[in-house]
Amino acid sequence: GLRPREREAVEAVIESGSNKGAARILGVSVKTIDVYLTNALEKSEAGSFNAGRLHMLLATTAHKERGMTDTTN
């Protein structure tokens, strides 16, 4: 499963909507959030975390951080 800090990073990204916001919440750098999310994603691909939800989360935050919006709705 996810380590506590990886889970906190995922939850902070969900809460804030961005890696930058998650970094502020947890008091770490954006690079650290990237590392936590990469680790969580690797674990999800190994089947120990909900892969679909994590992939969607990462795709959504990537769009938000680039200033893009979803126009498919």
Side-chain angles (χ1 to χ4, degrees), residues 2 8-10 12 14 23 27 30 34-35 39-40 43 52 54-55 65:
L2 296 180
E8 289 172 358
V10 171
I14 292 169
V30 174
D34 291 342
V35 170
N39 291 344
K43 289 177 182 182
L54 187 58
H55 281 282
E65 289 182 351

Side-chain angles (χ1 to χ4, degrees), residues 23-61:
R24 254 185 264 119
I25 289 169
L26 297 180
V28 298
S29 71
V30 174
K31 178 65 177 164
T32 299
I33 295 297
D34 291 342
V35 170
Y36 289 146
L37 294 179
T38 298
N39 291 344
L41 183 58
E42 287 173 359
K43 289 177 182 182
S44 76
E45 291 172 353
S48 63
F49 189 74
N50 184 330
R53 182 172 177 199
L54 187 58
H55 281 282
M56 185 176 297
L57 163 70
L58 295 177
T60 300
T61 58

